[in-house]
Amino acid sequence: MGPTGRAFYVVAPIGASGIALLGDEGKFVGTGHQRLAAVQDRPGRLMAALLFAPGEAALTLHGYTASAPKAAALGGAVGPVAYDPATGHFAVTVSAGSGAARRMTVVLRTR
């Protein structure tokens, strides 16, 4: 609980990929349709098509996985993955491609 006696919890299932994607870190609704256009969850791999708002250059995705994930980007860029083995929490900053396209796909692999 927080100091005010209140708490906010985000619950997400661990999918076939072994990843629970919590979405856009710091947002009240981190996995809304205005951010995640599509998600494919397959054994060992999660692909998420992301939408960026006009003027938005980057965002941080976060979630849970039992081992450090590897991240790659299609149509954009990813930074290094921060991973805490004690909690399983990961975070990665992703950036949209240049130009008018405000969309990119991030690929997270657990194998």
Side-chain angles (χ1 to χ4, degrees):
M1 286 279 170
T4 63
R6 298 183 180 123
F8 175 76
Y9 296 95
V10 176
V11 179
I14 298 172
S17 61
I19 297 170
L21 183 62
L22 300 175
D24 193 348
E25 191 171 53
K27 299 290 184 185
F28 185 72
V29 181
T31 57
H33 293 292
Q34 291 180 336
R35 175 64 72 205
L36 290 175
V39 175
Q40 290 182 349
D41 190 23
R42 299 202 170 129
R45 183 184 78 185
L46 184 136
M47 293 178 67
L50 304 173
L51 303 173
F52 288 76
E56 187 176 39
L59 62 98
T60 301
L61 289 181
H62 72 130
Y64 165 86
T65 185
S67 60
K70 294 180 180 155
L74 305 170
V78 295
V81 177
Y83 179 72
D84 182 344
T87 63
H89 182 260
F90 72 88
V92 60
T93 299
V94 298
S95 305
S98 60
R102 304 306 306 160
R103 180 183 186 117
M104 62 92 66
T105 298
V106 65
V107 181
L108 298 168
R109 294 184 187 275
T110 55
R111 295 185 193 168

